[in-house]
Amino acid sequence: MLSYPHLADTQLMPPAPASPEQTALVQSLFVQHLPALRGFVLSLVSDFSLVDDIVQETFLVITAKAGTFQRGTNFRAWAWTIARYKVLQTLEKHAPVPDRLAPEVLEALASQGEAETWYSEEQIQHLAKCMEGLAPKAREAVELRYQQAHRPPEIASRLGWTVESVHVALSRARVFLRDCVTQRMLAANP
Amino acid sequence: MSDERTQLLLQRYFDQVLTAEERSELSTMLLASSRARTDFWELARWNALIRQWGEAEWGRHDAENLTLRPLPAVPGPQKKVQKIIPFPRPSWKVGVATMAAAAVIALFVSVPSLLPWKHKVQPVSVAVLTHSADAVWADSNESRQRGESLTPGWLHLKSGAVQIEFSRGARVVLEGPAEFQLLTDNSAFLGSGKLRAQVPDPAHGFTVKTSAFAVVDYGTEFGCSLPISGAPQIHVFNGLVGLQGAQPTERKLRQNQAVEIVKDQVHDIPARRDQFLSDEELAKRERASVLGRLAAWHAASQALSEHPAALVHLDFEGDRGWSRNIPNRAWRAVPGSPASMVGCQFNDGRWPGKGAIEFTRPEDRLRLNLPGGYESMTLLAWLRVDTLPDRPQSLVMADGMGTGDVQWYISRWGELGFGVHIGKNGDPTGWRYHHSEPLFTPETLGSWVCVASVYDSASDTVTHYFNGQAIGADKLGVRALLQLETFEIGNWALRDGEQWRAGIVPRSTSDSARNLQGRIDEVAVLSAPLSAEEIRQFYEIGKIDQPAPTSLVKNLR
């Protein structure tokens, strides 16, 4: 199990007092980066239901440590380190299940650094259009998964499919949506 | 593109369907190859993008539901604003104070789709309706029942009387006709009507406001009457009360003092206890009203037991002593085959004195046996759900996974679910389900409700009912006879490591509990599809507060 001595130590230290302006700055940066942070956390835990709690706890730590953030330095790197720590802490509390990756794998992934840009508003708009191109049944599976946060076995029982066919439908839908959004982006910004 | 195997495993990871072997294979790839890690983040980005879209859409649905959802006529909370809570979680933990940073709250509010905890907003109850005697509410859609949590808002009591216990400890007996508004856990507004308040020490400062004055209690018992026409009166029976707003300065009223306010003038009058209904008198009235109600229900309940299609009918009446067997009163009950109580205990049901089974611990259950297969089936129950754990709760669940096995339960999201196994014996993917809209919300906790699900083989359709009203139907594709064989009420005979077999998805390996947390005071299984009218009658005769019309009882017979 990996440990984070530097983080653990700073957690024990009394948080440096932050001015209200400093706290407001850090919190507004947090909100700016929230969609990307949610994406980052979701990727590491794969379980939609854990994301909110981890993001909330990250927010609390960031607020408490606002005084240690230096204006002009990389907020994202700072916040991501805290989120990463919260991910590991949360997964440690839960019993291991096959669909979760071990801490050392998560470390390797996080240190590789994910793409700097997660998604833009423009992409989401294209995505909404592309959804209309999905077959009705595939769209239903995508909605159950991505809107209602059901897991494939539950989607299977609701749609009367097998888990495997739900997974295949979701995989195909993701490929279709990726290609569709990419094409629309290219057409819009040649 | 990296090799197909990596892509396949990554797709499985993001769908949470990796097996343990696949996970270790994927982990090796991710540790060894930076290419695999790049592929991981590439797919992760698309996965997160679609989730971002999904959350925004879901938030929009949610917002539409708040205004567009039809309001079913049910006793109590259903007509209030409902929110779907896909993942009820523990409330905020540490450092909540830091949230007060107004700037950041404003930011979240202005960008609602960014709000990470948008599903957490729940109205906070400030009081509980503890007793009710012949209470008639101005609007039948707004009727409240004993035990119901009350959130800030108006109570329009046409006649009868109720007792309300505020969270801070003040206890109010309200006599109809009255217009009463709950403000906080220690204050209320009296529009009109009569109340008597008992205020223990922890509730010091309990305040009753009116449009003309306010009564602030300093630990005591007082009465306040605000007739629609006539002069308001305040009577102090014990302790000390402050009368504010009626005079330039606060007037202190002590034990056995009373005042009447006529044209902005405060006059002393004799204090009269007998003008205000006491807790004891209310309790007496309640007992009388309940006895009448219980007698009417008994007659009707017998009619259900004698229904030609009744297979199981448990009403939990009779001996509550040492016996751990509940007699099955149904006409077609298997002789000598009662329900066995495991763990669970007797408690009060819909009315004080009506028997019920309370399920609290994970091992609590009733076990029964019902041999045979049935073309159609009706499941009926009066129940009270006490918590909404983040998992399904069992109502009536067949033990097995054989063709035709039936499951009836409340889903993780508070929906009523009915499932039939239509696959081959033992096939874990063989279940077909239909779920209703969410019915059980934090607001319905502690209220008695009537649920029913009817499977009609003629149309291959299951229909769900909530408090006598049909709330959704769907075809299931059943081609087998329905069966329960050995089954459980309030729990499900699930062995460790078999969570997957229900088709109700476990959240983690430790997620095996399916027990109900609440009470059931009547449950029935019939081998015929009852009509919508028959379900409505079952609800009407069992309703908590209104007396049952005798015609309904006759019809059901």
Side-chain angles (χ1 to χ4, degrees):
Chain A
M1 190 62 67
L2 289 173
S3 64
Y4 287 79
H6 58 291
L7 267 172
D9 286 346
T10 50
Q11 290 243 312
L12 291 172
M13 276 160 52
S19 67
E21 297 79 42
Q22 175 79 2
T23 306
L25 167 77
V26 165
Q27 291 180 337
S28 73
L29 283 169
F30 180 88
V31 174
Q32 275 174 34
H33 288 87
L34 187 54
L37 181 75
R38 293 179 65 83
F40 175 71
V41 170
L42 173 62
S43 309
L44 294 183
V45 299
S46 79
D47 185 342
F48 291 171
S49 68
L50 295 178
V51 175
D52 281 355
D53 280 346
I54 294 172
V55 169
Q56 286 166 23
E57 291 191 8
T58 305
F59 175 77
L60 290 179
V61 173
I62 278 171
T63 304
K65 290 172 173 282
T68 66
F69 175 68
Q70 289 177 336
R71 196 181 283 253
T73 63
N74 189 343
F75 172 82
R76 195 182 157 111
W78 182 65
W80 261 232
T81 309
I82 292 170
R84 212 160 87 192
Y85 173 70
K86 281 289 166 199
V87 165
L88 292 169
Q89 215 182 28
T90 304
L91 294 186
E92 213 173 286
K93 273 188 282 183
H94 290 76
V97 290
D99 54 47
R100 273 183 216 144
L101 298 173
E104 52 274 21
V105 181
L106 296 178
E107 267 306 288
L109 285 167
S111 60
Q112 170 118 353
E114 83 294 10
E116 188 65 27
T117 51
W118 273 82
Y119 30 70
S120 60
E121 198 50 46
E122 196 190 356
Q123 280 182 316
I124 297 211
Q125 281 163 13
H126 287 309
L127 184 64
K129 278 279 163 211
C130 291
M131 285 289 167
E132 294 165 13
L134 284 175
K137 277 287 171 191
R139 184 174 170 136
E140 208 175 329
V142 168
E143 286 181 350
L144 285 168
R145 175 69 179 153
Y146 286 95
Q147 285 188 14
Q148 302 187 35
H150 292 300
R151 289 176 180 227
E154 197 143 18
I155 299 171
S157 66
R158 288 196 171 207
L159 297 181
W161 298 1
T162 63
V163 175
E164 206 49 40
S165 55
V166 169
H167 164 61
V168 169
L170 290 174
S171 302
R172 284 193 186 144
R174 277 191 294 264
V175 171
F176 168 83
L177 294 169
R178 183 193 65 195
D179 294 345
C180 173
V181 170
T182 311
Q183 272 175 19
R184 290 178 66 98
M185 295 284 286
L186 280 174
N189 314 292
Chain B
M1 268 297 169
S2 78
D3 72 285
E4 278 184 21
R5 183 69 185 160
T6 317
Q7 285 293 327
L8 185 133
L9 291 177
L10 286 173
Q11 296 274 10
R12 293 184 68 78
Y13 166 77
F14 285 107
D15 281 343
Q16 297 180 272
V17 292
L18 277 183
T19 63
E21 290 75 12
E22 288 169 339
R23 179 182 64 161
S24 79
E25 189 185 346
L26 178 63
S27 300
T28 311
M29 287 175 177
L30 291 172
L31 286 170
S33 152
S34 85
R35 176 74 179 274
R37 295 195 288 274
T38 309
D39 287 344
F40 174 93
W41 286 115
E42 169 68 11
L43 193 51
R45 209 171 66 82
W46 287 104
N47 186 54
L49 177 73
I50 306 172
R51 174 61 173 154
Q52 170 80 3
W53 163 85
E55 286 197 307
E57 286 292 305
W58 188 240
R60 233 194 312 279
H61 288 190
D62 222 356
E64 284 165 7
N65 283 347
L66 288 180
T67 49
L68 297 182
R69 177 166 302 178
L71 307 173
V74 299
Q78 274 297 305
K79 82 285 166 197
K80 285 181 238 151
V81 172
Q82 276 195 31
K83 251 182 160 322
I84 297 158
I85 302 174
F87 299 111
R89 286 184 308 270
S91 55
W92 273 81
K93 301 148 200 158
V94 286
V96 175
T98 58
M99 283 300 296
V104 78
I105 304 245
L107 268 165
F108 281 128
V109 170
S110 61
V111 194
S113 64
L114 299 181
L115 196 66
W117 43 87
K118 60 184 174 186
H119 290 302
K120 306 191 88 161
V121 186
Q122 289 170 17
V124 180
S125 80
V126 293
V128 176
L129 189 89
T130 36
H131 291 281
S132 161
D134 300 319
V136 178
W137 301 91
D139 181 348
S140 63
N141 284 344
E142 277 186 14
S143 65
R144 316 278 179 157
Q145 50 176 274
R146 200 178 308 105
E148 189 177 324
S149 298
L150 302 173
T151 50
W154 281 98
L155 299 175
H156 305 283
L157 184 63
K158 220 160 112 187
S159 62
V162 294
Q163 188 192 57
I164 297 161
E165 251 176 44
F166 284 79
S167 307
R168 287 273 294 278
R171 209 163 59 233
V172 165
V173 174
L174 185 69
E175 286 176 70
E179 302 284 317
F180 190 64
Q181 187 186 17
L182 302 167
L183 299 173
T184 69
D185 60 0
N186 210 31
S187 66
F189 182 89
L190 183 65
S192 66
K194 205 151 65 155
L195 66 78
R196 181 183 188 126
Q198 286 215 4
V199 187
D201 282 347
H204 262 220
F206 175 72
T207 305
V208 175
K209 295 176 184 167
T210 72
S211 53
F213 58 89
V215 183
V216 182
D217 193 291
Y218 299 114
T220 175
E221 185 181 0
F222 71 92
C224 178
S225 130
L226 201 68
I228 292 167
S229 61
Q233 295 183 351
I234 297 110
H235 297 241
V236 178
F237 309 127
N238 265 316
L240 184 68
V241 150
L243 174 63
Q244 298 175 346
Q247 291 170 309
T249 55
E250 186 183 65
R251 163 95 186 258
K252 292 278 199 304
L253 298 174
R254 291 172 200 287
Q255 188 166 344
N256 293 328
Q257 287 189 328
V259 293
E260 188 175 52
I261 302 167
V262 184
K263 289 182 186 158
D264 296 337
Q265 296 294 311
V266 179
H267 303 284
D268 288 327
I269 54 170
R272 295 275 305 274
R273 271 173 196 269
D274 55 346
Q275 284 188 2
F276 295 87
L277 192 63
S278 66
D279 288 342
E280 297 72 36
E281 184 59 29
L282 175 69
K284 216 188 280 175
R285 283 197 200 176
E286 184 181 62
R287 269 197 298 277
S289 118
V290 159
L291 282 178
R293 197 68 207 77
L294 206 50
W297 168 79
H298 261 295
S301 160
Q302 206 182 337
L304 183 63
S305 296
E306 290 165 3
H307 192 289
L311 301 169
V312 175
H313 184 211
L314 310 179
D315 62 7
F316 311 107
E317 287 288 276
D319 179 30
R320 289 205 212 175
W322 289 97
S323 169
R324 299 293 284 165
N325 289 333
I326 310 279
N328 178 359
R329 301 195 192 281
W331 182 74
R332 286 170 62 192
V334 181
S337 184
S340 314
M341 289 169 71
V342 181
C344 44
Q345 299 296 337
F346 278 108
N347 210 321
D348 271 349
R350 269 165 282 175
W351 307 282
K354 160 88 186 78
I357 292 291
E358 178 162 38
F359 302 88
T360 47
R361 293 165 305 171
E363 58 275 18
D364 289 355
R365 64 194 68 206
L366 293 175
R367 281 197 65 77
L368 293 94
N369 183 24
L370 178 69
Y374 306 93
E375 285 190 348
S376 295
M377 192 174 276
T378 297
L379 296 160
L380 293 161
W382 272 98
L383 66 120
R384 191 186 101 166
V385 176
D386 289 342
T387 65
L388 285 173
D390 190 9
R391 58 169 177 78
Q393 302 191 69
S394 305
L395 297 177
V396 174
M397 302 282 276
D399 282 356
M401 201 165 38
T403 313
D405 277 345
V406 167
Q407 297 190 337
W408 196 42
Y409 54 90
I410 298 162
S411 81
R412 175 178 292 142
W413 295 275
E415 309 144 333
L416 184 62
F418 176 88
V420 182
H421 194 283
I422 65 161
K424 289 186 183 142
N425 279 331
D427 173 5
T429 63
W431 296 99
R432 293 297 175 273
Y433 291 95
H434 177 58
H435 285 201
S436 70
E437 288 287 289
L439 303 170
F440 297 90
T441 66
E443 294 152 329
T444 60
L445 297 183
S447 298
W448 284 95
V449 297
C450 174
V451 291
S453 296
V454 177
Y455 176 76
D456 185 348
S457 64
S459 55
D460 180 34
T461 302
V462 60
T463 309
H464 292 302
Y465 294 85
F466 188 70
N467 285 344
Q469 288 193 346
I471 45 156
D474 203 6
K475 282 194 183 294
L476 280 187
V478 176
R479 288 176 299 274
L481 293 178
L482 306 192
Q483 61 183 28
L484 283 166
E485 297 291 343
T486 53
F487 68 103
E488 300 199 338
I489 294 174
N491 215 324
W492 181 35
L494 178 70
R495 291 184 290 269
D496 278 349
E498 289 186 340
Q499 299 96 319
W500 49 269
R501 72 184 170 93
I504 305 172
V505 193
R507 287 291 187 72
S508 69
T509 45
S510 59
D511 174 21
S512 60
R514 294 288 180 264
N515 56 302
L516 175 67
Q517 286 181 288
R519 299 181 192 179
I520 294 182
D521 83 352
E522 190 173 9
V523 59
V525 180
L526 294 93
S527 62
L530 290 195
S531 68
E533 182 52 26
E534 285 171 306
I535 301 285
R536 193 184 67 78
Q537 288 180 8
F538 176 75
Y539 165 67
E540 291 292 336
I541 56 171
K543 248 169 39 176
I544 290 198
D545 286 327
Q546 266 94 47
T550 45
S551 60
L552 285 179
V553 177
K554 277 191 211 129
N555 284 347
L556 201 77
R557 280 174 185 276

